Amino acid sequence: MRNRALAALVCVLLSILAARAAQLPLTIKEISLMLRSGYSSNAIMQELAIRYFAEKLDVEKEKTLLQAGASAELITALKSGKYSLSSEQMTIAQQQIADQTKRRAAEAARSRQFDSLYQSQMARERATARPQAPNANALRELVKGDLVSLRNGALGHFDDEELEKKKLIALYFSAHWCAPCRKFTPQLVDYYNRVATQHPEFEIVFVSFDKSQFAMETYMREANMPWPAIDFQKLKGKDAIRKYAGHGIPCLVLVDATGKVISSTYAGAHYLGPAKVLGDLDAIFAGKVLDNVAQNR
């Protein structure tokens, strides 16, 4: 009877955690990383209101947060238990976090192994296969049905037919937690608003590197992004898109409809900056042929 009651309690607690947030509660490590990456203490408290806090704040952890730039208001809120889980919920959350860490490590190992095998296979195929005409809809097929856009402040489905008209697509890899991203995004919005009506063959697609759907949507609203984005819930299945990204963000990569890279923020490991891509776009719009076309990774 006692075991049944305990099992029932665990089920209820798990349900509460699932209802409270789509992601697991935040830890000191995550909050510290968010602060160092550019999140404000107020933005973190908004996230905590949804996801809650999976630890107890002691002297050492408080010192860690202060060194990362936490405000007195954030420290006070964490000390007060405002965002804390109950002891039972915290035990369950910490176990889930540990399990998630193990899964991610295993997935990363499998991904590295698969990528190594894939690269070897592709090298063999390139050595023996005859050249084939590229699929004109290759890139569009990768995001078909998975795009959203802002309409009157709310996210809604983006019409796939609109993307089918595009011949030049700039993939924008960015995140709200990234301070350089937030600095560049207004420039990109201004550029897009200036050229989009003149060049209907051009589109930007936002590929979020945010840690949560809340952060991604907040970023899109704050920046008033006029372009579509890949739905946060669909990002996990978009490895083929993420492979276009460079070694850091913000990263802007211009491709044609077949997925061929025309211009990129990176040249190998060398950072050129996203403004370089905007310069190449201006040249293309002016009717010039680029001398140096970025190679596919």
Side-chain angles (χ1 to χ4, degrees):
M1 192 71 181
R2 183 180 179 183
N3 289 338
R4 289 182 181 178
L6 181 59
L9 175 61
V10 170
C11 289
V12 170
L13 292 175
L14 286 172
S15 298
I16 292 173
L17 285 174
R20 278 182 168 177
Q23 289 193 320
L24 295 175
L26 291 171
T27 63
I28 289 293
K29 182 178 180 180
E30 288 178 304
I31 294 174
S32 177
L33 178 61
M34 292 166 72
L35 287 166
R36 294 182 187 279
S37 300
Y39 265 100
S40 68
S41 291
N42 286 336
I44 290 174
M45 285 190 285
Q46 292 177 15
E47 190 80 355
L48 282 164
I50 295 175
R51 294 174 59 185
Y52 290 81
F53 184 47
E55 299 182 65
K56 292 183 179 180
L57 191 65
D58 58 24
V59 175
E60 287 302 316
K61 291 175 181 176
E62 179 180 348
K63 182 178 178 181
T64 297
L65 292 182
L66 289 172
Q67 290 175 341
S71 68
E73 184 181 4
L74 174 57
I75 296 296
T76 300
L78 291 173
K79 282 183 175 180
S80 70
K82 180 179 179 180
Y83 303 115
S84 296
L85 300 168
S86 69
S87 57
E88 293 86 356
Q89 291 169 341
M90 191 175 297
T91 298
I92 294 172
Q94 289 174 346
Q95 183 59 53
Q96 289 177 322
I97 290 170
D99 291 343
Q100 184 186 71
T101 300
K102 291 179 181 178
R103 286 197 301 272
R104 286 178 174 174
E107 289 170 1
R110 286 195 296 270
S111 178
R112 288 192 295 270
Q113 182 181 18
F114 174 79
D115 188 61
S116 178
L117 292 172
Y118 174 78
Q119 294 298 334
S120 297
Q121 179 182 349
M122 290 302 295
R124 290 193 297 270
E125 290 180 0
R126 283 194 295 267
T128 58
R130 295 179 180 179
Q132 296 180 352
N135 178 1
N137 296 310
L139 184 63
R140 292 190 285 261
E141 286 299 319
L142 289 175
V143 298
K144 186 175 182 180
D146 297 333
L147 295 179
V148 294
S149 61
L150 279 177
R151 294 176 184 173
N152 299 320
L155 277 184
H157 179 71
F158 183 79
D159 188 357
D160 290 329
E161 291 185 4
E162 289 298 316
L163 198 65
E164 291 178 3
K165 304 172 185 176
K166 309 301 180 181
K167 298 179 181 178
L168 293 171
I169 300 173
L171 299 171
Y172 183 40
F173 302 94
S174 184
H176 186 272
W177 54 260
C178 168
C181 297
R182 295 199 307 275
K183 182 178 180 180
F184 173 71
T185 298
Q187 301 175 39
L188 187 59
V189 170
D190 289 343
Y191 181 88
Y192 182 90
N193 290 334
R194 176 168 58 85
V195 306
T197 55
Q198 303 172 24
H199 299 281
E201 75 279 14
F202 170 64
E203 187 57 274
I204 293 175
V205 173
F206 173 39
V207 185
S208 175
F209 272 50
D210 283 300
K211 305 293 190 301
S212 70
Q213 183 168 339
F214 172 80
M216 171 182 161
E217 293 184 10
T218 298
Y219 187 23
M220 293 181 70
R221 290 191 181 94
E222 287 181 353
N224 197 24
M225 293 185 186
W227 48 72
I230 297 177
D231 188 335
F232 186 83
Q233 301 298 328
K234 305 293 182 64
L235 284 171
K236 288 184 179 179
K238 300 301 178 187
D239 290 344
I241 292 290
R242 286 182 178 271
K243 285 186 177 181
Y244 284 99
H247 296 275
I249 56 175
C251 180
L252 193 64
V253 181
L254 180 66
V255 300
D256 62 18
T258 69
K260 180 181 179 181
V261 177
I262 298 172
S263 179
S264 177
T265 299
Y266 283 84
H270 182 58
Y271 183 72
L272 303 175
K276 183 262 184 189
V277 179
L278 299 186
D280 287 343
L281 269 168
D282 283 335
I284 292 171
F285 293 151
K288 298 178 182 178
V289 177
L290 299 180
D291 293 330
N292 299 317
V293 176
Q295 296 181 351
N296 285 306
R297 291 180 180 80

